[in-house]
Amino acid sequence: MGSYPTVVDWDNDGKHDLMIGDAKGNVQIFLNTNTNTKPILDGGSYIKAGGGILNAGARATPIVNDWNGDEKKDLLIGSMDGTIKIYLNRGTDSSPVFDSPSLLQVGGKDFYLGSRVAPRIYDWDKDGLKDILIGEMEGYVYYLKNVGINDIPIFNKSEKLLLGNGDFLQYPEPTGYPRSRVFITDWNNDGLADILLGGKDGRVMLYLASSKISNSPPVLAKRAWNQLKERVSILKNKSREKIRELKKKF
């Protein structure tokens, strides 16, 4: 069944541990018992919340963040139902204990985004505040700008990211719902945030950031990876073949 992995130093021992959200909605942590260069994971344990095993809803996609500025790791978890649940840590940073969740609010209401939401926290507009980027069922990437402060994040609206030409940034998977999963990094070391976008067909698309002023919301891609170009080229060739066939008939 599906899983969503995240690397985190869960117990603050300086070693990379593995967190996995699963199809049933549970989240497991696998502690690294060896070193970062040669990790050996233990058998894993289920994270608990509200006195029982945490269940965030089917297709749990967890990320770790100090959400409320108390210097302890909290959890944000997306799921099949289109919500993002916030689990605050009432224990310590190295031994988390989680409350029952609350739902992420946008515009003063419970946030809902179709299905299979997968959040990432990143300061997208470089104003020093943590924003949220979200992959989802239809393959788009949504941007939630933080208009509050880092200890009390506030989000007024969600917007789809755009490409430099004004088209929506969307994982190219024409046969069905692509289920975008987003990761942000400076891929080409130019000081700009690029996007790696995964989808259900197993590919990863690279969108390089443009240095030019772009459409709203800010900071968008100027070109896609070769796989996307190849797909467009194939579609163009097929179109040309159909035109030639029609010309022969008439």
Side-chain angles (χ1 to χ4, degrees):
M1 302 181 77
S3 62
Y4 189 83
T6 300
V7 176
V8 59
D9 181 5
W10 187 248
D11 52 1
N12 293 354
D13 63 356
K15 294 184 289 189
H16 301 319
D17 307 311
L18 181 65
M19 174 181 289
I20 293 180
D22 65 27
K24 295 180 180 179
N26 304 129
V27 178
Q28 297 183 66
I29 188 74
F30 296 83
L31 297 177
N32 183 0
T33 62
N34 201 38
T35 65
N36 283 334
T37 55
K38 294 183 179 180
I40 297 175
L41 302 179
D42 70 6
S45 59
Y46 285 101
I47 293 176
K48 296 182 179 180
I53 292 177
L54 183 154
N55 190 295
R59 309 291 177 179
T61 57
I63 54 172
V64 178
N65 181 267
D66 178 9
W67 186 250
N68 57 354
D70 62 358
E71 299 184 353
K72 296 184 290 188
K73 55 177 71 73
D74 307 307
L75 293 176
L76 270 72
I77 307 179
S79 65
M80 178 78 83
D81 66 6
T83 65
I84 295 176
K85 299 175 180 67
I86 302 170
Y87 293 82
L88 295 179
N89 181 2
R90 302 307 185 189
T92 65
D93 190 49
S94 57
S95 298
V97 177
F98 296 104
D99 276 347
S100 297
S102 60
L103 294 180
L104 179 72
Q105 301 277 302
V106 174
K109 300 178 182 179
D110 292 345
F111 179 66
Y112 172 78
L113 185 64
S115 183
R116 288 182 180 268
V117 297
R120 293 283 186 186
I121 291 178
Y122 187 81
D123 180 9
W124 187 242
D125 55 358
K126 304 301 181 184
D127 63 354
L129 301 175
K130 58 189 174 194
D131 308 309
I132 301 179
L133 296 177
I134 304 171
E136 48 79 64
M137 174 72 86
E138 295 183 342
Y140 298 107
V141 177
Y142 282 79
Y143 167 52
L144 277 60
K145 175 179 169 57
N146 183 3
V147 297
I149 59 176
N150 278 330
D151 294 355
I152 309 175
I154 298 173
F155 306 96
N156 287 337
K157 60 182 179 179
S158 65
E159 301 175 89
K160 293 178 183 176
L161 288 189
L162 304 171
L163 295 170
N165 63 3
D167 293 339
F168 290 121
L169 192 161
Q170 183 182 25
Y171 188 91
E173 216 298 315
T175 62
Y177 295 110
R179 308 171 191 174
S180 55
R181 297 292 180 264
V182 62
F183 182 80
I184 305 98
T185 185
D186 182 0
W187 183 261
N188 55 357
N189 295 318
D190 64 353
L192 301 174
D194 308 310
I195 285 180
L196 291 169
L197 197 63
K200 73 173 184 179
D201 62 4
R203 296 178 299 162
V204 178
M205 298 295 165
L206 171 63
Y207 295 88
L208 294 176
S210 173
S211 58
K212 298 178 181 178
I213 297 174
S214 56
N215 299 287
S216 178
V219 190
L220 307 174
K222 64 180 178 182
R223 66 183 176 89
W225 206 2
N226 289 336
Q227 288 174 326
L228 178 54
K229 291 182 178 179
E230 290 169 2
R231 179 174 290 249
V232 171
S233 178
I234 290 170
L235 291 174
K236 285 182 177 178
N237 288 336
K238 287 182 177 179
S239 296
R240 291 191 188 102
E241 289 174 4
K242 288 181 179 179
I243 291 172
R244 283 196 293 267
E245 289 175 2
L246 287 172
K247 285 182 178 179
K248 288 179 182 178
K249 291 180 179 179
F250 294 98

